[in-house]
Every structure is written in structure tokens, then in C-alpha cells.
Amino acid sequence: MNAHVPSQKLHDCRDAFAATLERLAAEDETIVVVCNDSVGSSKLGGFKAKFPERLINVGIAEQNMIGVAAGLANGGRIPYVCAAAPFLTGRALEQIKADIAYSNANVKLVGISSGMAYGDLGPTHHSIEDFAWTRVLPNLPVIAPCDHIETAAAVAWAAHYQGPCFLRLSRVGVPDLLPEDHLFEVGKANLLREGSDVTLIANGTLTHRMVKAAEILASRGINARVLNLATVRPMDEDAIIAAARETGAIVTAEEHSTFGGLGSAVAEVVVDFAPVPMKRLGVPGIFAPTGSAEFLLNEFGMAPEAIADAAEAVIKRK
């Protein structure tokens, strides 16, 4: 199948997150929010107004924030922990490991403004290591929705999932790619476009760029399959293996370091089960400089035209 035809309107996935969380909280009084002075950046103003007693702002104290959330989960609450992705994952990684993943606490971690969305604030605010840090932890599904529809579906899924998870959300506007009635299923890829010559795999803000790259490739006579791999852990190994065997070449793109992220996860499956030529696009193991997310993605070879060129090059390696 080909994808639901996307609209050209851009949506901020944080809006879908906030609206869905408010709806869920109205239905379930055990849902609470813990944040680190991130009410504005997480778009939690509406939640705070409706449920002031169910929003706990711990201030700039991310490690404590994780401990508070774990305690709330032990008391029967369902905490959504909201913070800028680089500080949630980097500053509190030990607590996430011990208090959340190891303890299998029913806590929903929400990394806001992931990737290079805070590009103008520089390398300290880039979150291009969070896939690598979180996907190695047992018991912790790692999810990066591709649009506002998948964001809403994933937030709702998390509320009913008994265990921890990490949702990686950007603030960069993206078009809709999935139908309004999309149901999120953890560990399952979405086939956005059929293709037999090469497979393009992405998630989050890069997915719509892969769709555009496939359209460019089609104009060059190349038939590209496109997979939205929202769940980095657990992986949809069947979809990756089928893509490798049926198209013979794979390109991944991610708003993350090329070390340990989506491309690395896909490569692990490919090398174990169906070795084919691959190209992993991302930040090449450096501290990304200061600049807008759009500028940085293009600088690192992730404009749709550059992705199409990379796909042509990997096809030649078959």
C-alpha cells in the first residue's frame, strides 16, 4: 500500500501530545504529570489549568523528577514525565535505569524537543544521543512518532501499557503521513510506500523527508519502499528482514548520531539475518554545531534530494 496522502499543513506533535493527555486524564484520575519547569515547552498549560493538583513541577531537578515519578507509580498513579529530551535522558540516565527500567515502573517518559529541535541553542541542547542511551535498557520501549496522528495514538497506547516507555517528541512541524484512524502498535513498522529497488527507513521528523526522497527517486525511475519505524525498541525485525531480502538495499535517516541510534538498530538486524548494502544517515559522531534544525539536517545530508542521492549510491553496491 502507499501512504495516506499527507496534507501540506505542518503540525507540532506537542499539541497532539498535550490534547491527548488532557483527554486521557479526564477519563482516568490516576494519570498525573511530573515535569521540570517545562510546562510551557511541553504545552502543559491546559493540563495545569484543568488538573492543577495532578501536575507536579519539581523544578530543574531531573534526577529527583524520576524518583518522584517512580514513587507515584508505586502508589498506583500513571505518571507522564515531561522534560526537554537532552536533560531527561542525559542528566537522569542512572535513575531511569535503576528506578524505572530495572524496577519496571509504570512511568511514561516524554522527551520533548528531541533531536536538533533546539538547534539555535547549540550542542548542549541537542538530543542526538537519546536513542543510544535508552534503547539499551531492558523493559523500556523507545518510540519516535512520525506525525501528530501517530503521536496521539502512541500517547494513548502508553496510558494502557503496563510498564515504562520513552516517547521521543520533536517541536519541529511535520505534515500528517498516517490516516486519522491510525492505531499505534508497538514494535510494528508502517509501510508508507511500496518499492522493490531500495528501502528508506526513518522515524520522527525524518519520515516525511523519506517520503519526499522516494518521490524524487520515482522521477528517476527508481522504486523506493518507505518504512516508518516509530518503535526503535522493540524492532519490527520481520519488516526489516523482508525489506532487505525484497529490495536488496537500505538507507536509514535519523535526527540522531549515527552511533547507536535507529540506523545502528536496523543494521544489527540486517547483519544477523539478511546482509545487504546499507547507508546510515545522521549526525556523524560529532557535536552538531549551532543552527536551526532545518539547516543542520540539510548540512548532514538529510535533505530529500541528498537522501535520494544516497539511495542511488547504495543501489549501485548491490
Side-chain angles (χ1 to χ4, degrees), residues 12-18 41-42 80 82-86 109-115 117-118 127 130-131 143-148 150-152 154-155 166-172 204-205 255:
D12 185 334
C13 291
R14 295 176 301 169
D15 292 325
F17 160 71
S41 61
S42 299
Y80 280 76
C82 303
L109 305 171
V110 186
I112 300 292
S113 303
S114 59
Y118 279 135
S127 189
D130 50 354
F131 279 154
I143 301 159
C146 71
D147 65 8
H148 98 280
E150 188 168 39
T151 298
V155 171
F166 172 58
L167 301 176
R168 187 187 200 252
L169 306 182
S170 181
R171 67 193 295 134
V172 176
T205 58
E255 197 174 0

Side-chain angles (χ1 to χ4, degrees), residues 56-264:
I56 302 168
N57 187 348
V58 304
I60 306 301
E62 288 80 7
Q63 294 168 332
N64 186 45
M65 177 176 65
I66 296 300
V68 168
L72 288 165
N74 286 340
R77 301 298 191 271
I78 304 175
Y80 280 76
V81 179
C82 303
F87 310 127
L88 171 64
T89 56
R91 192 170 294 163
L93 187 59
E94 180 185 358
Q95 285 70 30
I96 291 172
K97 174 184 174 181
D99 297 345
I100 305 301
Y102 177 71
S103 301
N104 204 28
N106 192 29
V107 174
K108 321 305 173 182
L109 305 171
V110 186
I112 300 292
S113 303
S114 59
M116 296 178 287
Y118 279 135
D120 291 328
L121 296 179
T124 59
H125 283 62
H126 297 158
S127 189
I128 56 174
E129 309 87 4
D130 50 354
F131 279 154
W133 290 337
T134 55
R135 79 177 184 91
V136 299
L137 296 176
N139 302 327
L140 188 70
V142 177
I143 301 159
C146 71
D147 65 8
H148 98 280
I149 294 168
E150 188 168 39
T151 298
V155 171
W157 168 85
H160 299 98
Y161 174 68
Q162 292 299 309
C165 62
F166 172 58
L167 301 176
R168 187 187 200 252
L169 306 182
S170 181
R171 67 193 295 134
V172 176
V174 292
D176 293 343
L177 295 173
L178 298 169
E180 287 287 348
D181 60 352
H182 173 70
L183 294 177
F184 178 78
E185 188 174 357
V186 70
K188 292 295 182 182
N190 306 121
L191 177 63
L192 299 185
R193 188 182 181 105
E194 295 278 8
S196 57
D197 297 325
V198 63
T199 300
L200 310 181
I201 301 177
N203 59 24
T205 58
L206 267 296
T207 307
H208 77 96
R209 289 175 175 244
M210 287 302 213
V211 173
K212 290 181 179 178
E215 293 168 355
I216 294 169
L217 288 168
S219 72
R220 301 177 186 178
I222 296 171
N223 193 5
R225 180 178 303 186
V226 180
L227 291 179
N228 170 46
L229 204 64
T231 310
V232 177
R233 178 170 181 167
M235 299 289 285
D236 189 342
E237 294 187 354
D238 290 341
I240 296 167
I241 294 167
R245 290 175 177 168
E246 294 167 11
T247 70
I250 292 175
V251 177
T252 62
E254 59 194 308
E255 197 174 0
H256 189 275
S257 170
T258 54
F259 289 78
L262 172 69
S264 296

